[in-house]
Amino acid sequence: MPDSPGDSRTLLAAFATSEPLGDDEFTRALCHHDGRVRQRALAEAAGHPELFPLIVVRCADWAEPVRSRARELLAEILDAGTAVTLAPMILRVADRYRGGHALGLLDAVLRQAPRERLAPLLVSGDRAVRRYAYRMAVEEGSLSPVELARAAAESDDAVVQGRCAEAALADGAPAEVLEILLGGRNPQARSAGVTALRRAGRPERAVDFLADRSALVRACARYVVRQHGIDPLPWYRARCADPAVEPGAAIGLAECGDRADAPLLWALLEHPAPGVRARAVAGLRTLDVTDVRRLRPLLDDPAPGVVGEATLALLPSARALPAEWLLSRLDAGRPRWERVSAWRLLDAHGDVVRLRAAVPLLGDADVRLRGWAEHAVRRVARRAPRAVRSPEIAALLDRAEAVGR
């Protein structure tokens, strides 16, 4: 409920008589619609650390007297210790109109604080705080290149990965820094390390990443070896002819080869490693080489990843697959990835087949399949007004309506 004028008078009277307020009343006063109440509450807030986040909020208050008092108070209470706890709120308020002042105070405090005071912010559970802390660490030079490389290699935040990798390599590419980046678990770090190998004159190390699992890293590796006069295509061809081929080599061949390389990829469809089979199918799709007869058996592959890639490759030719055969693959007893594959291929057949597939799924236990079926029915119903529906579409839509009752 909104605060009433009587409520304002009660709170102001309580402050005037120095009557102690409970935490709830103090919180309500700092969030009160009446600026006089908010301003009076700020006069007492310094002694209540649990209310410091609300002081930060009031630093962007629309009322100038409240805003000024809050800013004065924040300048008094903000030190290296409180900065750690208040940083999340300050960064959120910074996005608001007039919110930049609190961020300026935070900057000033942390830039003067000992390096170790920044450490809790670097591992904060708040992503915005971690990004802010690493930006400041880079600007202040408070982390060594090795520490920056480790942060880039271990972080799960792409912004932190990129910023730290770039800073780690800013003054050269020391061997230790390079190895940390090259061993990173994320593509951003590995790609930065691989690219730095060009400047370090180590193309032979970049060759090791031509079959990386990341397309970005593979592209960087090809760039580095080409800069040193090495053509990666023969390497890919040789790797794909080797029984110990890596999945990244199969797709890498397609990324820099041409249709003449398709036979090497067709041969890999029989490879015992599911990852190699999946990447070989993806490579054939990249080369725009599709043979429905040869790819269709892969829809029964025991590996979900292979079935998924085969489905993507067959989508443009979905109508060449028998609709009745695909409908049978929607059976509830089949593995989920096979049912999803069948649905995607049936959905590409057109409205009639789409409805034949959708109506039986309207009561399916699989939430995702049921949702796709419901959406398909609504889509067909919108596109086909009752007056122009074919008898089969009309009958299927009537069945769908009956299921929905």
Side-chain angles (χ1 to χ4, degrees), residues 19-295:
E19 179 181 335
L21 298 180
D23 288 345
D24 289 346
E25 290 176 303
F26 234 130
T27 299
R28 188 156 54 89
L30 284 168
C31 300
H32 203 277
H33 75 92
D34 189 327
R36 296 171 301 166
V37 175
R38 298 197 302 278
Q39 185 177 11
R40 188 65 186 82
L42 282 170
E44 311 289 337
H48 298 265
E50 69 279 3
L51 299 177
F52 286 179
L54 289 176
I55 295 175
V56 175
V57 173
R58 297 278 68 88
C59 286
D61 200 281
W62 64 270
E64 194 278 333
V66 177
R67 192 167 65 248
S68 296
R69 179 62 189 126
R71 290 175 176 180
E72 292 171 1
L73 191 55
L74 183 61
E76 295 172 11
I77 64 175
L78 196 63
D79 57 26
T82 56
V84 172
T85 57
L86 294 181
M89 182 62 76
I90 290 174
L91 289 169
R92 278 159 179 74
V93 171
D95 292 333
R96 298 173 58 177
Y97 179 52
R98 305 187 187 94
H101 185 86
L103 183 59
L105 291 175
L106 180 67
D107 274 353
V109 167
L110 290 178
R111 290 184 193 281
Q112 296 173 9
R115 168 185 162 172
E116 58 270 16
R117 285 293 190 174
L118 199 60
L121 300 181
L122 296 173
V123 295
S124 170
D126 188 301
R127 184 176 65 176
V129 172
R130 292 197 306 275
R131 289 180 175 181
Y132 168 82
Y134 275 109
R135 176 179 62 80
M136 176 166 287
V138 168
E139 291 174 355
E140 293 294 301
S142 57
L143 294 177
S144 69
V146 168
E147 290 172 317
L148 289 167
R150 288 200 184 107
E154 297 170 5
S155 175
D156 58 0
D157 185 333
V159 172
V160 172
Q161 293 163 12
R163 176 172 289 143
C164 291
E166 182 180 354
L169 296 166
D171 296 323
E176 186 178 3
V177 167
L178 274 178
E179 289 306 317
I180 292 172
L181 292 175
L182 293 173
R185 63 185 180 186
N186 61 77
Q188 188 89 355
R190 294 199 305 280
S191 63
V194 169
T195 303
L197 291 170
R198 181 189 67 83
R199 186 169 51 179
R202 298 175 58 191
E204 72 290 342
R205 188 74 172 90
V207 170
D208 296 339
F209 293 86
L210 288 173
D212 193 90
R213 61 185 178 274
S214 163
L216 173 62
V217 178
R218 291 194 300 272
C220 291
R222 288 194 293 270
Y223 162 75
V224 172
V225 298
R226 283 171 177 150
Q227 290 296 303
H228 287 81
I230 302 171
D231 183 0
L233 188 52
W235 184 92
Y236 280 119
R237 288 171 175 161
R239 291 304 300 161
C240 288
D242 188 328
V245 58
E246 307 94 332
I251 186 64
L253 174 62
E255 288 167 344
C256 69
D258 54 38
R259 289 190 174 190
D261 295 302
L264 283 169
L265 297 177
W266 284 117
L268 292 177
L269 298 186
E270 305 292 332
H271 198 278
V276 173
R277 297 198 302 275
R279 296 291 86 194
V281 177
L284 290 167
R285 181 164 55 89
T286 299
L287 293 175
D288 196 22
V289 177
T290 303
D291 184 324
V292 175
R293 181 184 60 82
R294 297 175 75 176
L295 289 175

